[in-house]
Structures are given as structure tokens and as C-alpha cells.
Amino acid sequence: MNDLAGKHIVLGLSGGIACYKAAELCRALVKEGATVQVVMTEAAEQFTTAVTMQALSGRPVFTSQWDARPGNNMAHINLSREADAIMVAPASADFMARLVHGRADDLLSLMCLARPIDRVPLILAPAMNREMWAHPATQRNVKQLRADGATVLDVGAGEQACGETGDGRMLEPDELLYDLTRFFQPKPLAGQHVLVSAGPTFEAIDPVRGLTNLSSGKMGFAIARAAHEAGAQVTLVAGPVGLPTPRGVGRVNVKSALNMQKSLDLLVPSATVFVSAAAVADWRPATSAEHKIKKDGSGEVPTLSFVENPDILVAIAASPRAKSGELYCVGFAAESHDLEEHAQAKRKRKGVPLLVGNIGPATFGQDDNALLLVDERGMKELPRAPKLVLARQLVAEIARRLST
Ligand code: CTP
């Protein structure tokens, strides 16, 4: 995706066993299109080598403020002014304590202190033993660093290198990559609570069989991610799909259309935006057998009869909060032909201000898609692109409509 194309990241490593994850992070940043300049403390060099980091970043590593390579002999000034962000991963307890005090006796802390504070963000990924993380001194330092303008990321929980279990592990490289990517995204949905439904529903025939459809959930999951990147609190109500939950997003798993409706009804009162991306089954078997329906050898086939599922979106869009504008509803339309005509008609039928049309067979299961946005003023095409790119564009369109 090259989400970090054009970004220059100074990746700082302070001393901690999590330096082994910094190597993978460096690789991930480069793969995402960033240029990476590594700066290491002396303690970091006990855990990994400058050779490793140079090989992965493709640039000589800086480890000393007395490095004579820069013409002006001012590595701390040069490096910090080139950066779009400084990310210190791992940020040890000691390194954070030093930052709190404005210490400047090694290159990394000197560079953090010398950075233009309004222009170059400092992002810290703490990594330490759980007792060190929980210690009041560390927690005080984290608070102070945030007050001083640094972004201090969460820590992970689980087994630690020391054998203890608890909070304090450094986040995994893919989580750090996501947090950095999110950091650079605009935040037009800050303060919003976005509810997204995604995936197919599964309507049981008996305990081992059911009816479903080909929706993969990828578009809805991409929208949930894009809304979170845009600063919203996000809850995803997902039908049966095997996709990983986007970082920072709450998730409720459901099976049938009735389950989905029940979960959404509980969440809608606190939501400000509802994006109905789920491919909800229109019908369900009138009865679901308690036990598996057996072949009895007679050659007779069972007959299924159906009842209509409730239209979840229509009900939510007709609720008083949606009518008063407190809840902005976005519908989807999965069509097989005549997209424009069907999307216009469906928007009116569903009672939503914005409807997103796509061709079902061309999108189900794919990583890219093309969308047609339909509102009362007309329509807008979002040409074929990866689903995350489209999701970000859709989120921007929703945010624009919320602000007017
Ligand atoms: N939807 C819903 N509840 C249903 C059916 C659909 O909430 N029982 C929502 C979908 O999440 C989507 C929109 O309604 O946002 C349109 O779904 P779609 O399947 O395209 O349309 P249908 O309403 O099923 O109409 P048709 O099958 O006639 O195209």
C-alpha cells in the first residue's frame, strides 16, 4: 500500500530486549515506503547491532553525538530537522526518565531535545518489565512526557522476556506500524462513535447447515479501520468471517440477521454514525431444526420455506436519533447490474442520506473495489482501488457531510 511513502522516520532504539522487534519494525517501515534513519543508544547496541539496523534501513546508523561524519558535526540538529517523526522503539524506562529531565548526554536524547517541537512529533513505544512499567516513577514520567507533547503508545500485555507476565511488553511491529500510519492520517472523525456492520449473515437450517452469501467482510473491516484512523471510536458488528479485528476497534461477532439486529440495536443509541456494510440475508428458513436433518434413504428431499428478515438499516434510519440528525446512516447496495439506477432507488427506499453502491460479484472476496456514492445532490464515483484506499475516501466523504 505504501502508506508511508514520502515520510522520513528517525527510528530511535534505546536499551531493551525489545530491540529485536525494532529490526522487524525497521523493515516494515521501509516496505511501507518510508525512508528510515536509525539512531541507537549505547545500551541498545548491547541488544542488537548497528550493522543489522544499517542493513535493514539501507543507511549508516548514528550512535554517537561525536560522530564526525556530518560536515557541521551536528548530527542531533541535522537528523531531527529532516524527520517527519521520531519514533523511539523500544523506549526504555531509563530513556523516558532522561527525556523527562531534558537530558542531552547521548545522541538520541540530545536529538529528541533538539527537535523542533511543533513540527517533528516524538512517538515513544515503551518496553520494560511489568514492575518497572507499573512503578509510580514510570507512570509519572509517562504523564509528564505526554504533557510535554510526546505521544506515548500503549504497551502490550503477556509473557515477558524475564519470565514474568503482565503489562510492559513493547507492541508488536505490525501494531507499531499501524499506530504510526494512523498518526499521519487526518482526524476528521475525532469525537464520533462509528458503528459498522460487516460480512455476511448465516441463517441456520439445522445445527450443521445454513444459508449465507459470498460477502467477505473486507470492505466493512476496511471502513472500520479507516474510521479509527480518522480519530473515531469504532465498533464493528461482524457476521461470520475470519478476518482479524482492526487495531483499536471493538468487535461483536454475530451469526444471523436477527443476532445482528439485536447487537446493533444495543449499540445504536451511543453511535453518531452507522455504516451498514453487511450483506444481510433477506430471508431465513421459517424454522431451524433442532437436530441435524437426516437422509432417510427414501430419496425424498426436504422442503424449505422462508420468512423475510427485518430490514435492519431501514429500522435504524427511521429511528428518532437518525431522523433528528444525531445519527448519520450510510447504506450499501450490492447489485449485479444497473448500479446507478438501483443505488438511487435504494437510497430513497432505505431512508438514508448516503448510499454506497457496488457490484456484488465484482467485489465479494476481492481486495479492491469501485464505489458509487449516491446522495440527494447526485452521485460520485470512487474508481477501482484497494478497499482500504476506498474506505479512507468514504470516511472523508462522510466526515465532510457531518461537518456541513
Ligand atoms: N440491509 C439490512 N437488512 C436487511 C437487508 C439489507 O440492513 N435485511 C442493508 C445492508 O446492510 C445494506 C443495504 O441494506 O446497507 C442494502 O442491502 P442490499 O442487500 O443491497 O439490498 P436489499 O435491501 O437486500 O435489496 P435487494 O435485495 O432488493 O437488492
Side-chain angles (χ1 to χ4, degrees), residues 205-209 287-289 291-295 302 304:
I205 295 171
D206 69 16
V208 297
R209 303 183 182 92
T287 53
S288 167
H291 300 294
K292 185 182 174 194
I293 303 169
K294 304 292 281 180
K295 267 191 307 211
L304 291 179

Side-chain angles (χ1 to χ4, degrees), residues 9-344:
I9 309 299
V10 171
L11 177 61
L13 277 65
S14 61
I17 185 59
C19 278
Y20 82 92
K21 294 187 193 173
E24 201 173 328
L25 172 64
C26 179
R27 198 157 177 272
L29 296 175
V30 171
K31 261 177 115 174
E32 222 35 64
T35 49
V36 180
Q37 174 62 61
V38 176
V39 177
M40 295 169 71
T41 65
E42 208 182 314
E45 286 191 276
Q46 299 290 322
F47 293 92
T48 189
T49 70
V51 174
T52 301
M53 299 310 291
Q54 175 173 352
L56 293 171
S57 64
R59 286 168 178 250
V61 169
F62 281 84
T63 56
S64 162
Q65 76 237 50
W66 310 122
D67 192 320
R69 278 174 297 171
N72 59 1
N73 211 312
M74 293 189 200
H76 62 299
I77 300 292
N78 309 344
L79 296 175
S80 61
R81 271 135 191 86
E82 287 163 9
D84 289 301
I86 299 173
M87 184 173 216
V88 182
S92 67
D94 179 64
F95 184 73
M96 293 199 295
R98 294 153 64 78
L99 283 183
V100 165
H101 290 280
R103 297 285 294 273
D105 53 359
D106 77 307
L107 177 60
L108 188 57
S109 52
L110 171 62
M111 185 191 67
C112 291
L113 189 69
R115 84 187 198 280
I117 200 162
D118 297 329
R119 191 164 57 76
V120 181
L122 174 63
I123 302 165
L124 305 170
M128 66 202 72
N129 163 269
R130 66 191 175 109
E131 300 290 0
M132 293 167 74
W133 174 249
H135 196 284
T138 303
Q139 290 304 313
R140 199 166 55 234
N141 288 342
V142 167
K143 212 168 145 200
Q144 188 58 53
L145 285 166
R146 287 187 173 137
D148 290 348
T151 297
V152 183
L153 302 178
D154 292 339
V155 290
E159 236 177 76
Q160 303 200 306
C162 53
E164 297 180 2
T165 303
D167 290 343
R169 288 164 58 108
M170 188 168 81
L171 295 177
E172 298 305 315
D174 60 334
E175 295 173 316
L176 293 173
L177 178 66
Y178 174 77
D179 286 358
L180 186 64
T181 305
R182 177 175 190 255
F183 184 87
F184 286 120
Q185 291 290 325
K187 299 284 176 289
L189 290 185
Q192 304 286 342
H193 180 181
V194 178
L195 186 57
V196 182
S197 72
T201 63
F202 179 90
E203 312 297 329
I205 295 171
D206 69 16
V208 297
R209 303 183 182 92
L211 298 168
T212 186
N213 60 61
L214 289 175
S215 166
S216 63
K218 286 180 183 172
M219 193 65 224
F221 275 60
I223 293 166
R225 171 179 169 161
H228 181 253
E229 285 177 348
Q233 182 196 333
V234 184
T235 310
L236 188 54
V237 175
V241 291
L243 297 174
T245 311
R247 180 160 162 74
V249 168
R251 175 171 180 174
V252 180
N253 286 326
V254 297
K255 258 188 162 174
S256 67
L258 292 178
N259 293 157
M260 183 171 273
Q261 185 178 41
K262 204 168 157 200
S263 294
L264 287 170
D265 282 348
L266 288 174
L267 292 161
V268 150
S270 61
T272 57
V273 177
F274 171 48
V275 183
S276 186
V280 185
D282 290 319
W283 306 284
R284 66 178 183 277
T287 53
S288 167
E290 194 188 336
H291 300 294
K292 185 182 174 194
I293 303 169
K294 304 292 281 180
K295 267 191 307 211
D296 61 8
S298 68
E300 240 179 77
V301 294
T303 314
L304 291 179
S305 59
F306 294 94
V307 289
E308 195 169 309
N309 272 325
D311 195 309
I312 306 173
L313 178 59
V314 165
I316 293 175
S319 67
R321 287 190 68 242
K323 289 280 173 212
S324 70
E326 282 172 88
L327 174 69
Y328 188 83
C329 291
V330 182
F332 263 71
E335 306 294 345
S336 60
H337 61 289
D338 295 335
L339 180 58
E340 204 180 310
E341 196 184 308
H342 283 126
Q344 292 283 15

